[in-house]
Amino acid sequence: MTKSGPKGKYDDFSELKVTVHQTKELRSQGVRVSWEGGAPTTPNGARGNYLQIMQCWGDDPDGPDRDQCVFGAGDVLPGYKANTRMLTANKDPEEAQGDFVPFRPANGEPPTTTPFDTTYFGPLDTNEQNGSRTYANGTGEVQFEVQDGVQADHLGCGENTAPAGSTPTPRKCWLVVVPRGTHDTDGTVVDPDTASSTLSTSPLSATNWAQRMVFRLDFLPVDNFCPEGRSERPVTGSELAADAVNSWQPKLCATTDSMFSYDPDSEELARSGVSGTTSDTPLLGVTVDPVTQAEGQPDVVHAPLAVSGLAIGFFIDSTKTGVMREMKLTPRLVAKMLTHSYVWTVPWNKKQPEPEHVAGNPKSYFSDQEFKELNPQFADFSADTNASGQLSLMVPSGNSDTTRLLWNWLQSDQEARDFLSGKPDPWGMRVNSYFQDLDLAENTSISDYPKNDPTTAVAINAEDSTLEDKPTYGLTALDPYTEDLHEGAVRTRRGNNNNRIAWDGSLLNKNELLNSPSTNHTVMAVVDIASAQRYGLNVAALRNADGRFVKPTNDTLLNAVDAMKASPDNAKVLKPDPTLAKGQAYPLAAVTYAAASVNQSTADRKAYADLIRYAAGAGQAPGSSAGELPYGYAPLPDGLRKQAKAAADDLERGQSSDDPGSPNPDDPGGGGAGGLTSGGSTGGNAGGTSSGTSAGGVSTGGADGGANPSPSVSDASTGNGSTTSSSGGQQNVASTGITPGEVLGIIRWVLLVVLFVGGAAGLAGPIMLRLAQRRTP
């Protein structure tokens, strides 16, 4: 949706055209907002000619009132009152209200009572953009984080507003853009050459509010979409599959008798839960590595669910260069970040000598010669950029298969392995000594991100205080863990890593350590690809096994899947292996699997089988609507879909055809990646064409001129040469034999066929041969 600006009271915005690139089927996500025809933002701190963007609720079809808008909690930039809810009546002749505009929430709670009331939103969770710059050519662009009613119930976007018993009506919301020129509301002109000259009135002030541009936003429903009385069945495990399963939920409710609750958690906990499943405790676990079955335990099926992986997302913006969109990273550069080996990524009072354990190292990656040679576009970023402490790589807490995958990528590279072992890089940079003895170069089972540096430093602003015990901060305050991969993407989108390193001695803040955001956003995080896509993050191109820098796309993810081999613990599960990611294969790709024990009730087995069938069928169609595969996932290749459907059949039947052993390379039917056969579903040459190149999926472009076409992935086999299929393929399943009752029943049907057809001699032979085959173990 594109709209033109108004001719304001003092500034003419009629040449300004603002485009919101998605206004329907929204959830909590990033939305691209671009514009052209604007006056270039004033230099020296952006004191004029910029846009202020906010999200509002409101049921009036003409748009929201100003007391329904989230604004006033962001950085004090570029002016003081220009970024608050405060009004200055004597400066705006059109203003008739009091000292401030309260925020009135959609959930019926009381409105705010002061301009700085953070009851509903504050500096760390507001999504307002209070100073979006226009470049010299009159254009600009931002990714705006819209929030649905789950993330922000004070906005209530997507919540049902219809009376009980009537057709649900998701609440619409609004994106409001207030263009600011060089005139304040009383006609005062900003002098761009004078540091003290700046706009000083809020966009919520009457004259500024009259210049607003309003865009309607339609959200997907966020209320409970399952009819009452449905049985709820738990699903837990890898965060890589969370967005996909959550997207499938509404359609599953409409097409099955079940409601599924997804709880992203450690894959190890999911595997443990699957192993302990009983008829009283149903569970479907989602994992990357397979469930290891002990002898005598019930069978566990593994069904491919989704193709995705990890990414390193970043938001780097400066007053000089604007938003940076491209970055190349080697395993050694990422090793330097994860071990906090840059001076400014450890606690350090800048008035003291450099900490001994990182002394002599570059201050940040901007001044690292390795980074500079790979990324010359950052030449204008000085080593002093953002010394307030947001230069670290944010990582999630806890243990995960995907964390192990990232460490395995570093360990697959000789340069990174040498650095982690203590060998300096060619420019003399060494690993933070507190990390050197953790065996990070060789321990292939490490599944967390240690923050092993115990040093502390005096908080910013506290150095000259009169306190006898000056407040200090440590590594986890400087660079806090994210709760999960998704939160890492949200924090990156907001350009703030939530550090706690600045001291405020006022009574209001009770001597607490506060967040110290910078006007230059330099935030980077390990995220899942789906969340990077969802929030519109730029992602780094990573160096793979043969030295190519590759971004995650449908093609590069499927290239990586095609190169994967079977897990040594289960021939039906593909093991992520960065050493095999060559050519245009992305090194941090992974396949998630639904794992379920057959030791569950018949109803639970059928319900989980229905979920798997939907996931392998309609759930692989890319799109943003409910039931579709969210962008950020590559659709499963045909062979993996067939494997999933066969696993669903096994689960519903209560007997797994999984072969937990390793594939035999001499077995013509059990070789290849994960026991995948080379024959397509039609019996031709290499398997059917992959659907991974269809529109949608991962839209971030690849480096090095793009990727090769997606290779086909072949049909699944049982690992012993027999192809499994959900529709008519022969099931090579061990039989316990046929009971006498079954034999009598079969004979009765044979006799009926003979009597009706009259071809006893012609039919009896083939039928009896078939019976003999079924009786063979």
Side-chain angles (χ1 to χ4, degrees):
M1 183 183 295
T2 299
K3 292 192 175 184
S4 297
K7 190 179 190 315
K9 185 176 182 179
Y10 303 110
D11 295 291
D12 186 359
F13 301 107
S14 57
E15 296 298 316
L16 175 68
K17 295 184 183 300
V18 176
T19 300
V20 180
H21 291 262
Q22 182 183 350
T23 61
K24 296 181 182 297
E25 295 185 336
L26 295 167
R27 52 183 177 155
S28 289
Q29 64 175 82
V31 170
R32 182 180 170 217
V33 180
S34 64
W35 58 95
E36 60 182 21
T41 298
T42 57
N44 304 321
R47 294 189 296 275
N49 291 332
Y50 53 87
L51 304 187
Q52 295 184 293
I53 310 174
M54 63 197 80
Q55 184 178 349
C56 314
W57 70 278
D59 299 326
D60 190 316
D62 294 328
D65 293 330
R66 53 185 177 169
D67 64 352
Q68 296 172 308
C69 295
V70 170
F71 192 84
D75 304 344
V76 183
L77 170 79
Y80 176 53
K81 293 178 183 177
N83 294 304
T84 71
R85 306 187 73 87
M86 295 177 66
L87 301 176
T88 312
N90 62 345
K91 205 166 175 63
D92 187 352
E94 305 295 328
E95 184 56 62
Q97 194 162 318
D99 295 333
F100 78 104
V101 176
F103 174 72
R104 178 165 53 92
N107 57 16
E109 296 293 322
T112 56
T113 56
T114 71
F116 305 103
D117 189 333
T118 59
T119 300
Y120 304 109
F121 55 89
L124 299 182
D125 58 6
T126 184
N127 61 352
E128 66 195 77
Q129 299 213 1
N130 51 35
S132 299
R133 300 176 180 85
T134 300
Y135 302 125
N137 62 0
T139 67
E141 181 178 325
V142 298
Q143 282 281 344
F144 186 88
E145 179 204 347
V146 297
Q147 299 175 347
D148 64 20
V150 174
Q151 189 171 7
D153 65 346
H154 51 275
L155 288 168
C157 309
E159 292 180 350
N160 182 26
T161 59
S166 57
T167 302
T169 304
R171 169 174 279 131
K172 62 182 176 296
C173 278
W174 309 89
L175 190 74
V176 173
V177 178
V178 179
R180 306 298 297 271
T182 55
H183 293 80
D184 225 327
T185 53
D186 61 354
T188 304
V189 181
V190 171
D191 181 359
D193 297 322
T194 304
S196 60
S197 181
T198 183
L199 299 178
S200 60
T201 55
S202 169
L204 304 180
S205 192
T207 298
N208 296 325
W209 183 250
Q211 299 169 168
R212 69 193 181 278
M213 305 165 70
V214 179
F215 300 81
R216 173 173 164 166
L217 304 177
D218 291 311
F219 282 76
L220 295 169
V222 299
D223 297 280
N224 185 3
F225 32 70
C226 285
E228 293 184 7
R230 292 286 176 89
S231 299
E232 182 173 343
R233 291 178 170 86
V235 182
T236 187
S238 178
E239 193 181 348
L240 291 189
D243 266 18
V245 177
N246 287 334
S247 175
W248 298 332
Q249 295 258 31
K251 291 297 183 182
L252 287 168
C253 278
T255 58
T256 72
D257 295 329
S258 301
M259 178 171 64
F260 301 95
S261 61
Y262 195 84
D263 179 22
D265 209 332
S266 160
E267 293 91 348
E268 187 59 44
L269 288 177
R271 286 190 288 271
S272 176
V274 168
S275 296
T277 299
T278 69
S279 58
D280 296 325
T281 58
L283 181 69
L284 183 79
V286 180
T287 183
V288 175
D289 294 336
V291 177
T292 303
Q293 294 175 244
E295 186 175 354
Q297 281 189 325
D299 288 341
V300 173
V301 302
H302 291 83
L305 273 191
V307 175
S308 188
L310 293 181
I312 295 181
F314 63 93
F315 178 22
I316 298 180
D317 182 18
S318 81
T319 55
K320 291 183 180 180
T321 57
V323 177
M324 308 303 294
R325 305 193 182 282
E326 299 294 330
M327 181 188 293
K328 293 180 179 179
L329 292 176
T330 65
R332 182 168 58 195
L333 279 169
V334 176
K336 294 174 180 179
M337 297 175 186
L338 291 178
T339 56
H340 294 266
S341 295
Y342 295 111
V343 175
W344 277 342
T345 62
V346 300
W348 176 40
N349 184 334
K350 308 304 185 291
K351 296 182 179 180
Q352 302 296 322
E354 289 182 352
E356 183 178 351
H357 53 292
V358 292
N361 285 352
K363 297 291 193 300
S364 72
Y365 46 84
F366 292 131
S367 55
D368 184 342
Q369 194 61 33
E370 181 179 8
F371 183 86
K372 290 164 68 175
E373 291 182 4
L374 278 175
N375 300 282
Q377 68 273 25
F378 288 92
D380 291 336
F381 279 67
S382 71
D384 297 333
T385 299
N386 195 4
S388 62
Q390 297 195 60
L391 289 163
S392 301
L393 176 62
M394 290 190 291
V395 294
S397 60
N399 298 79
S400 173
D401 292 356
T402 56
T403 300
R404 182 163 50 250
L405 170 60
L406 192 145
W407 282 112
N408 291 164
W409 173 55
L410 304 189
Q411 292 159 349
S412 70
D413 181 84
Q414 187 64 50
E415 292 178 350
R417 202 160 56 246
D418 287 345
F419 181 82
L420 292 170
S421 298
K423 182 179 179 179
D425 75 2
W427 303 275
M429 180 176 177
R430 293 180 179 273
V431 68
N432 181 332
S433 58
Y434 287 111
F435 288 79
Q436 185 171 336
D437 296 329
L438 297 183
D439 196 25
L440 299 176
E442 303 296 338
N443 182 3
T444 58
S445 62
I446 182 172
S447 60
D448 67 335
Y449 297 106
K451 292 186 181 292
N452 214 47
D453 189 332
T455 57
T456 61
V458 176
I460 294 175
N461 302 334
E463 299 95 334
D464 300 324
S465 70
T466 58
L467 295 176
E468 183 176 346
D469 294 322
K470 292 180 173 32
T472 60
Y473 66 91
L475 188 58
T476 54
L478 174 68
D479 182 31
Y481 283 108
T482 61
E483 184 174 327
D484 49 36
L485 297 168
H486 176 267
E487 194 204 10
V490 173
R491 284 200 207 171
T492 303
R493 176 73 278 144
R494 294 174 182 168
N496 193 334
N497 76 344
N498 286 12
N499 64 43
R500 291 288 190 279
I501 60 175
W503 175 71
D504 190 318
S506 69
L507 293 176
L508 177 64
N509 290 309
K510 302 177 182 178
N511 288 325
E512 294 178 352
L513 291 184
L514 305 176
N515 181 254
S516 180
S518 170
T519 58
N520 289 332
H521 295 127
T522 53
V523 183
M524 192 181 305
V526 175
V527 300
D528 61 293
I529 298 170
S531 292
Q533 182 77 15
R534 177 173 175 174
Y535 289 97
L537 301 183
N538 298 308
V539 297
L542 305 181
R543 194 173 73 188
N544 68 10
D546 63 357
R548 300 197 187 193
F549 289 90
V550 182
K551 285 186 177 182
T553 67
N554 279 359
D555 287 339
T556 63
L557 287 172
L558 291 172
N559 288 344
V561 172
D562 188 56
M564 291 178 187
K565 295 183 178 179
S567 166
D569 297 318
N570 191 310
K572 300 297 289 290
V573 173
L574 295 176
K575 181 177 178 60
D577 188 348
T579 65
L580 302 176
K582 298 180 180 180
Q584 284 296 329
Y586 184 67
L588 298 184
V591 181
T592 50
Y593 289 81
S597 171
V598 300
N599 189 28
Q600 303 186 63
S601 71
T602 301
D604 291 321
R605 293 200 315 271
K606 182 182 185 308
Y608 287 134
D610 287 342
L611 185 157
I612 293 169
R613 291 187 184 105
Y614 183 88
Q620 293 300 313
S624 58
S625 298
E628 296 179 325
L629 186 70
Y631 301 126
Y633 294 93
L636 283 174
D638 289 345
L640 293 184
R641 295 192 200 196
K642 292 175 182 176
Q643 181 184 344
K645 292 174 181 178
D649 292 345
D650 289 345
L651 178 60
E652 184 170 356
R653 188 174 60 249
Q655 185 177 26
S656 171
S657 59
D658 276 3
D659 178 5
S662 300
N664 182 356
D666 298 324
D667 184 342
L676 300 178
T677 68
S678 60
S681 59
T682 59
N685 294 325
T689 302
S690 164
S691 61
T693 57
S694 61
V698 189
S699 67
T700 48
D704 289 352
N708 299 322
S710 299
S712 59
V713 180
S714 49
D715 291 349
S717 85
T718 60
N720 60 6
S722 295
T723 300
T724 59
S725 170
S726 62
S727 55
Q730 180 179 346
Q731 302 284 346
N732 187 13
V733 180
S735 171
T736 58
I738 301 178
T739 66
E742 289 173 320
V743 173
L744 288 175
I746 293 169
I747 292 173
R748 291 190 187 101
W749 282 108
V750 171
L751 291 174
L752 282 173
V753 170
V754 171
L755 288 172
F756 275 98
V757 177
L763 290 176
I767 291 174
M768 297 309 295
L769 285 173
R770 181 64 174 163
L771 286 175
Q773 290 173 354
R774 287 182 57 185
R775 290 178 60 88
T776 302

